[in-house]
Amino acid sequence: DITVKDAAMVVGLLRLSTKYEVPHLRHRAIQILREWYPAELVTFMALPRAFLPRDEYPRHALVANAARETDVPILLPAALLLCCATASVNTLWDGLDVPTEAGTVARCDLSQMNKRALFLGRPLLAHHARTRVQSFFFYPHTDEPRDKTLRCQAPERCGSFCRIYASVYDDKEDPWMNPFYKLNWKSIRSTCCNVCAARWEKHHDEATKELWKELPKLFDLPSWDVLKEQ
């Protein structure tokens, strides 16, 4: 079976089949890569996450560059998002030396177009994470409903949790925050009141879906509908 560990081989197939105009091999390579870099939010959120995300960055950068070179832009939104999520600003700009199985070192560097897309989109994604998707952690109790039964049942406990969560990001040197990070709602419900946890989860789900629709635009790409037709 082909797995993400075979990404370099699949990308090589994509490049060769594009260069030598072998449509069925190109189609198969794109089909495989779209499973790992999907255009659907549900599929993206179901992707397994690496224990050490930074180890995955070279693969994401490889796919992002190949998508530009071979004119497969449908791969770009997910690939660029994963680049944002697995590399620091310095790595995105300066590149990275990656050890190979042959004992040599290979240079992992994004194309200029991809760097531009990331430096446009990464700050916007972090901003939307704070102000939209996870705004309840950074601005708790600012939109309390009129119905008292829907209001926070433990203001001190929930407020303390929000302050601790927000401080983790406020104290970071890199302001990056992933709006598509999978929150552990079971843990949150065990810490905060059930009313807040339920309201936050509903807000998070709706805001995530809306932001996914906008994802290509944040990277200066056409809409999902246009990308799917190309």
Side-chain angles (χ1 to χ4, degrees), residues 54-225:
R54 291 182 186 275
D55 290 348
E56 299 288 292
Y57 169 69
R59 170 166 63 88
H60 304 321
L62 175 69
V63 171
N65 285 342
R68 294 276 188 189
E69 295 166 15
T70 60
D71 194 25
V72 191
I74 191 63
L75 300 172
L76 282 169
L80 292 172
L81 171 59
L82 288 168
C83 283
C84 289
T86 56
S88 66
V89 173
N90 288 344
T91 297
L92 294 173
W93 182 255
D94 296 329
L96 183 70
D97 288 329
V98 182
T100 68
E101 294 181 356
T104 59
V105 174
R107 189 67 181 166
C108 172
D109 201 6
L110 287 161
S111 69
Q112 289 301 312
M113 288 186 69
N114 281 332
K115 285 183 180 180
R116 177 182 181 276
L118 287 174
F119 280 84
L120 288 173
R122 197 173 189 265
L124 292 174
L125 284 166
H127 173 72
H128 290 313
R130 286 173 174 266
T131 61
R132 291 172 59 183
V133 179
Q134 296 183 30
S135 59
F136 40 81
F137 288 143
F138 296 90
Y139 313 100
H141 311 312
T142 55
D143 58 347
E144 287 284 272
R146 293 182 179 180
D147 187 341
K148 290 185 178 181
T149 63
L150 299 178
R151 294 182 184 178
C152 178
Q153 305 297 302
E156 289 188 13
R157 181 154 51 93
C158 293
S160 177
F161 176 84
C162 290
R163 286 193 296 273
I164 293 171
Y165 186 93
S167 69
V168 172
Y169 289 95
D170 290 338
D171 295 340
K172 285 173 60 179
E173 190 172 310
D174 182 353
W176 164 248
M177 183 176 179
N178 188 354
F180 300 101
Y181 177 76
K182 288 189 283 190
L183 295 173
N184 186 337
W185 290 107
K186 182 178 179 180
S187 176
I188 292 172
R189 283 192 293 271
S190 70
T191 307
C192 302
C193 79
N194 290 332
V195 173
C196 279
R199 187 153 51 89
W200 293 347
E201 186 172 9
K202 182 176 183 292
H203 171 98
H204 181 270
D205 182 60
E206 293 173 351
T208 300
K209 290 176 180 176
E210 286 302 311
L211 186 58
W212 184 263
K213 295 176 185 177
E214 303 168 21
L215 182 61
K217 181 180 178 181
L218 300 181
F219 290 125
D220 199 28
L221 295 167
S223 68
W224 282 119
D225 289 340

Side-chain angles (χ1 to χ4, degrees), residues 15-26:
R15 284 172 166 154
L16 286 172
S17 61
T18 301
K19 180 178 180 180
Y20 295 105
E21 300 182 2
V22 187
H24 69 281
L25 290 180
R26 174 179 159 88

